[in-house]
Amino acid sequence: MSKTIIVSNRLPLQVKLNENKLEITPSVGGLATGMKSVHKEGDGIWIGWSGLTEEELDESLSKKVDTAVAKENCAAVNLTQCDIDNFYYGFSNRTLWPLFHYFMEYTEFEKDFWESYKAVNQKFAEVVLENLEDGDNVWVHDYQLLLLPQLIKEKKPDTSIGFFLHIPFPSYEIFRTFPWREELLTGMLGADLIGFHTYDYERHFLSSIKRILRLDVKFNEVVYHDRIVKVDSFPMGIDYKKFHQASVSHTKMNVKERSELQKRLDDHIQSSVDTKLILSIDRLDYTKGIPNRIRAFEYFLNKYPEFKEKVRLIMLSVPSRSNVPQYQLLKKETDELVGRINGQFATVSWTPIWYFYRSMPFNNLIDLYTSADVALITPVRDGMNLVAKEYVATRTKKDGVLILSEMAGASKEMNEALMINPNNFEQIADAIKQALEMPVEEQIARNTILQKRLERYSVEKWAHEFMKSLDATKNLGQVIVSEKLDTKLTNQMIEDYKKSKSSLILLDYDGTLSGFQDNPQNANPDMELFQLLDALNNQPNTDMVIISGRDKETFEKWFGNKEYSLITDHGVWLKKRNKDWEALERLKNDWMENIRPILETFVDRTPGTFIEEKKYSLAWHYRKADPELAQIRTMELNTVLTSLISNNDLTVLKGNKVIEIKSSSVNKGRAASRLLSLKNYDFIFTIGDDWTDEYMFEEVPENAYTIKVGFKKTKAKYYVKDTNEVRKLLTKFID
């Protein structure tokens, strides 16, 4: 039975070493809870680091760790202290974390960190591959393992791989500054399904894919080599029942059962009828906007002094990455701000801010959630923010108000909260006042909607939806009508070729024999290609023809001294082996004078584009243009040209990042049909990569081998991945 392998930086276990004895306890948290059901299904395995470095473990302890985690259906990846310093504290948390959260001033681009990141992703890949069997699914989590999907896919191409990013994906303008951007994107594209918390992050990712890797994106699907990668958003939920039921139990406690914290909170609440508590809970991280929140609270007290001695801000900051300099500075700034404001406003009976710098057990969190009238959640950038959802889930009477930063991923699905810009103190102060004065009926109306949504889309539902979408990607490739040219089909084709008495091999040039270049003139044939074509051209009983949209002059320059048969300009000129050029069509080109100025205006308005002028056609190339601008311009140009050429016997051809205008009486299909009429071939092979080659595929007989380069909709029977595969395939024709 197939299983699901979950991969994350850490295992869902707390593994501690106490006097050479191992203590293992399950982790509590969003991901561990959400993946519980996926982990338990079948023979699921969770792979991650145990939390203990190789230096802390001798051989016997290492075996004990492996045995202990195996009992929990887990497998440990062994990491050294150097790995943790460079891969985790270094690249993950000093490069990716600040960059993806828009803190470019904190981002460090250290080559040593990057090398360690690659090496550790490889270590994870090795453990995954040891546990991977045919038919298994793999679900990779988060920014520490962005290269892992591709590393698995390279070794096991048929494995179904999902990847989920739990932090924001930055806009293209931020991401483009990253030195190893192509490697990260191709690493992620090893997955069949890539998930984000919000549509914004999905959109940013697709924008980078288009602009940096220049890949085709159709809606939310990326065509990558011979695969379609699906990109989608799945907002992560919480374990709603756990928080709601804990809150229900909490309200039933008698006074004696209450915690010390709850008793202190009760004292404050009972001190006056109009006393209010505002709650703020975060990891101490610069992305959470904690200093801004404190300053905004100070601004509120100054703007609305009537709330002094009535309102208290309870701040819980959970220690985080305390060995990183930015976090040490943040703690210092936070301590100083709290001290200054408490010093400025405090009275004998009232301290405006209660500040806790520590972790709290679950029951104390419930104390805080259930006691607070308002939750103030104001990150400057946050992938999701589950605290906002947890607060709402604990409101058993449906009262309480959530003030939420629009920069948190959670804001996209929690519109009933009071939304604020975390940098706008005026707005935050007004929102606090509105929250404190909001009628209970309005609070209940807002929270009723929020609670229904959170209960419905829980963390288990999130995991289930992702796995369902991952299963659906297995059918994505079926929309492409052609079949992958595998070893068995190739062998059959070569057998048919060997048996044939007369063979025709039709080869497109750009995108088939040679890869695309920003400047088409740079795509000239290399020595390897010449050797391949020479050998193919000398095969007995074989007519090899290169059939291209290129102009005659270019092919004369490249292949003039060769004995190849050539067709240029989509079928205007033919040069038979050892003979001179002959015109297959009599064409006019006076129409160019009217069309050229139109193309020139599009070149002026679209940076990175240019016109290629051939004898009988004009081509507008947009390979170097911004993909999103090019998409708009191609639609505009197509509309303009279609209305202009309707009565002129001209046609508009859409090639690979090029629009070409030429006579409609000329195409590769007509040229191929001419060749077929000259001789009786019993083996025909034709290969090409864009729409101009579809005419050729249509024209050749049913028993011909028609092959498309790339994973695209086509009339060809088979497809191969890229120009490298084309060359490998053509060598098989040579004895």
Side-chain angles (χ1 to χ4, degrees):
M1 183 184 161
S2 65
K3 62 183 181 290
T4 298
I5 296 177
I6 301 160
V7 197
S8 63
N9 177 50
R10 287 292 294 267
L11 288 174
L13 306 167
Q14 299 285 333
V15 183
K16 285 183 182 156
L17 204 54
N18 207 343
E19 294 178 1
N20 261 17
K21 284 187 180 174
L22 285 175
E23 291 177 9
I24 294 186
T25 51
S27 299
V28 289
L31 189 60
T33 306
M35 300 305 292
K36 202 180 286 176
S37 57
V38 178
H39 188 200
K40 283 180 178 170
E41 279 169 19
D43 301 314
I45 295 176
W46 194 313
I47 291 171
W49 178 49
S50 66
L52 297 171
T53 62
E54 283 182 19
E55 288 84 349
E56 292 173 86
L57 301 168
D58 56 27
E59 197 175 330
S60 103
L61 271 173
S62 191
K63 281 180 182 168
K64 281 182 186 172
V65 170
D66 289 342
T67 308
V69 300
K71 282 181 186 167
E72 304 289 336
N73 289 343
C74 293
V77 179
N78 294 324
L79 300 181
T80 64
Q81 188 58 49
C82 182
D83 290 334
I84 297 307
D85 291 341
N86 289 341
F87 149 76
Y88 182 70
Y89 291 116
F91 197 79
S92 297
N93 290 332
R94 289 162 75 163
T95 305
L96 293 177
W97 179 269
L99 185 79
F100 279 40
H101 285 87
Y102 295 72
F103 282 83
M104 289 186 68
E105 67 275 25
Y106 293 163
T107 308
E108 299 174 28
F109 299 128
E110 294 290 339
K111 192 163 191 301
D112 289 350
F113 290 172
W114 168 242
E115 293 303 327
S116 177
Y117 186 81
K118 287 195 292 184
V120 171
N121 271 255
Q122 187 60 52
K123 285 186 180 183
F124 272 83
E126 283 158 15
V127 179
V128 172
L129 292 165
E130 281 166 23
N131 291 278
L132 186 60
E133 293 165 329
D134 291 344
D136 289 351
N137 292 325
V138 178
W139 188 355
V140 180
H141 289 270
D142 226 2
Y143 63 103
Q144 299 93 347
L145 302 172
L146 293 169
L147 303 178
L148 184 57
Q150 183 65 18
L151 295 172
I152 301 167
K153 189 65 91 175
E154 279 169 2
K155 299 290 183 194
K156 287 277 193 175
D158 296 327
T159 303
S160 192
I161 303 172
F163 176 83
F164 193 88
L165 186 69
H166 292 267
I167 64 173
F169 194 91
S171 72
Y172 163 70
E173 284 301 330
I174 296 285
F175 188 71
R176 72 193 290 209
T177 64
F178 182 66
W180 305 283
R181 55 202 187 178
E182 289 91 351
E183 290 94 323
L184 275 202
L185 293 175
T186 51
M188 292 172 77
L189 287 174
D192 300 285
L193 173 66
I194 299 173
F196 299 94
H197 282 306
T198 73
Y199 174 66
D200 279 354
Y201 309 154
E202 178 192 334
R203 193 166 50 86
H204 292 328
F205 173 74
L206 290 173
S207 179
S208 288
I209 287 293
K210 284 190 274 191
R211 290 173 148 98
I212 294 166
L213 296 185
R214 300 278 167 178
L215 294 176
D216 287 332
V217 176
K218 301 263 164 53
F219 300 110
N220 64 336
E221 291 175 358
V222 182
V223 180
Y224 184 57
H225 295 319
D226 54 350
R227 298 189 296 116
I228 292 177
V229 179
K230 181 101 183 275
V231 182
D232 214 338
S233 49
F234 304 85
M236 189 175 176
I238 57 167
D239 186 350
Y240 182 86
K241 284 180 186 162
K242 176 185 169 185
F243 284 91
H244 195 72
Q245 285 165 1
S247 180
V248 169
S249 305
H250 183 274
T251 55
K252 292 175 181 171
M253 279 182 187
N254 61 43
V255 176
K256 286 180 183 172
E257 293 174 306
R258 293 184 178 182
S259 67
E260 282 305 310
L261 175 63
Q262 186 61 60
K263 286 172 185 170
R264 284 186 68 193
L265 293 166
D266 290 343
D267 287 345
H268 178 75
I269 292 163
Q270 288 155 12
S271 63
S272 167
V273 284
D274 50 3
T275 294
K276 302 277 186 178
L277 288 178
I278 299 171
L279 177 64
S280 152
I281 299 181
D282 296 285
R283 274 188 318 105
L284 191 70
D285 192 293
Y286 50 73
T287 64
K288 303 296 183 184
I290 294 167
N292 266 9
R293 193 178 311 167
I294 299 169
R295 290 189 186 98
F297 182 64
E298 176 187 26
Y299 188 86
F300 161 77
L301 291 175
N302 283 322
K303 185 174 181 182
Y304 300 110
E306 64 269 26
F307 288 100
K308 287 176 187 175
E309 298 193 56
K310 295 176 184 172
V311 173
R312 177 169 279 152
L313 174 64
I314 302 175
M315 290 193 70
L316 173 60
S317 292
V318 179
S320 173
R321 300 171 192 158
S322 48
N323 58 341
V324 177
Q326 283 91 5
Y327 290 78
Q328 293 164 352
L329 286 170
L330 175 65
K331 182 178 184 308
K332 184 169 177 281
E333 184 183 7
T334 305
D335 291 348
E336 286 171 0
L337 276 169
V338 171
R340 180 174 64 74
I341 290 164
N342 280 343
Q344 182 184 343
F345 291 101
T347 61
V348 175
S349 57
W350 176 69
T351 313
I353 302 174
W354 273 1
Y355 175 55
F356 302 94
Y357 175 65
R358 62 169 184 260
S359 299
M360 275 196 184
F362 180 73
N363 61 323
N364 282 157
L365 287 179
I366 300 298
D367 292 339
L368 291 170
Y369 282 145
T370 51
S371 302
D373 304 280
V374 177
L376 185 62
I377 316 285
T378 63
V380 287
R381 189 73 60 172
D382 211 341
M384 175 47 68
N385 197 297
L386 300 180
V387 171
K389 296 184 174 186
E390 290 167 5
Y391 173 74
V392 171
T394 59
R395 308 307 296 177
T396 51
K397 295 178 184 172
K398 295 184 167 54
D399 60 348
V401 182
L402 172 64
I403 300 173
L404 182 60
S405 162
E406 62 195 37
M407 306 299 175
S411 67
K412 298 287 181 278
E413 43 177 330
M414 301 185 82
N415 294 318
E416 293 74 20
L418 298 182
M419 293 297 169
I420 54 95
N421 178 331
N423 303 304
N424 187 335
F425 293 177
E426 194 80 39
Q427 192 183 27
I428 297 171
D430 292 346
I432 293 172
K433 181 174 187 287
Q434 185 187 347
L436 295 170
E437 294 175 344
M438 188 181 287
V440 176
E441 299 77 30
E442 187 183 341
Q443 294 176 33
I444 292 169
R446 287 170 182 263
N447 287 328
T448 301
I449 300 167
L450 284 169
Q451 286 187 353
K452 276 184 184 169
R453 192 180 299 128
L454 294 180
E455 186 174 16
R456 191 173 63 248
Y457 202 87
S458 65
V459 69
E460 291 90 350
K461 180 87 186 292
W462 165 80
H464 173 74
E465 289 290 321
F466 187 92
M467 290 307 295
K468 197 167 91 177
S469 291
L470 182 58
D471 277 342
T473 61
K474 290 170 187 171
N475 303 320
L476 275 179
Q478 293 171 11
V479 297
I480 306 291
V481 291
S482 58
E483 187 181 346
K484 186 171 174 56
L485 191 72
D486 58 16
T487 308
K488 187 181 171 188
L489 285 164
T490 303
N491 291 341
Q492 178 60 54
M493 182 175 72
I494 299 304
E495 276 306 305
D496 291 350
Y497 172 65
K498 283 176 181 172
K499 287 182 209 160
S500 69
K501 294 187 178 68
S502 180
S503 301
L504 175 64
I505 294 178
L506 294 171
L507 307 171
D508 170 49
Y509 185 80
D510 289 289
T512 303
L513 295 177
S514 175
F516 287 103
Q517 300 289 332
D518 288 340
N519 183 343
Q521 294 308 313
N522 294 340
N524 49 309
D526 52 68
M527 191 50 67
E528 179 194 68
L529 182 59
F530 276 128
Q531 288 167 354
L532 178 61
L533 293 173
D534 287 346
L536 204 52
N537 200 46
N538 292 329
Q539 286 290 100
N541 308 318
T542 301
D543 291 340
M544 181 198 81
V545 183
I546 304 174
I547 179 166
S548 170
R550 288 271 182 179
D551 59 276
K552 183 180 80 160
E553 290 70 25
T554 300
F555 263 32
E556 180 63 42
K557 184 171 77 180
W558 288 350
F559 304 118
N561 62 339
K562 296 287 183 182
E563 296 179 355
Y564 308 158
S565 293
L566 306 169
I567 292 176
T568 65
D569 300 273
H570 297 288
V572 178
W573 292 98
L574 165 66
K575 182 181 188 296
K576 286 184 188 162
R577 191 170 181 160
N578 296 327
K579 294 196 176 167
D580 284 335
W581 291 95
E582 59 178 290
L584 296 177
E585 308 282 352
R586 297 280 173 225
L587 296 180
K588 294 178 181 174
N589 57 10
D590 51 358
W591 55 268
M592 289 187 182
E593 290 173 23
N594 298 325
I595 301 293
R596 192 186 300 102
I598 292 159
L599 295 183
E600 282 167 354
T601 63
F602 275 81
V603 168
D604 295 341
R605 291 169 56 217
T606 321
T609 64
F610 64 93
I611 301 166
E612 183 187 7
E613 192 165 330
K614 305 175 190 178
K615 194 153 189 181
Y616 298 106
S617 68
L618 287 171
W620 182 68
H621 290 268
Y622 55 91
R623 182 165 300 280
K624 284 160 62 178
D626 179 284
E628 290 179 6
L629 177 60
Q631 197 176 1
I632 296 163
R633 291 286 188 261
T634 50
M635 286 161 65
E636 282 179 28
L637 182 56
N638 203 38
T639 308
V640 171
L641 290 174
T642 306
S643 61
L644 268 176
I645 66 173
S646 51
N647 302 318
N648 289 322
D649 191 31
L650 295 173
T651 190
V652 177
L653 278 182
K654 286 184 187 171
N656 199 316
K657 305 281 192 293
V658 59
I659 288 180
E660 190 160 1
I661 305 97
K662 63 172 198 60
S663 167
S664 50
S665 62
V666 173
N667 63 56
K668 288 183 183 179
R670 273 172 68 113
S673 139
R674 291 265 183 106
L675 293 175
L676 292 167
S677 67
L678 299 174
K679 206 167 178 181
N680 194 17
Y681 295 104
D682 57 354
F683 177 89
I684 298 163
F685 170 94
T686 180
I687 187 164
D689 75 299
D690 70 16
W691 280 105
T692 64
D693 302 303
E694 294 296 317
Y695 295 109
M696 203 161 51
F697 301 147
E698 283 175 0
E699 206 60 46
V700 295
E702 182 58 32
N703 63 349
Y705 283 94
T706 51
I707 294 156
K708 187 80 164 181
V709 183
F711 198 52
K712 305 161 193 167
K713 195 173 176 187
T714 179
K715 293 197 168 71
K717 289 180 194 163
Y718 310 109
Y719 74 88
V720 293
K721 192 160 81 171
D722 53 25
T723 54
N724 290 333
E725 284 203 3
V726 173
R727 293 191 183 192
K728 283 178 195 166
L729 177 63
L730 293 178
T731 57
K732 291 188 165 60
F733 284 98
I734 300 157
D735 289 330

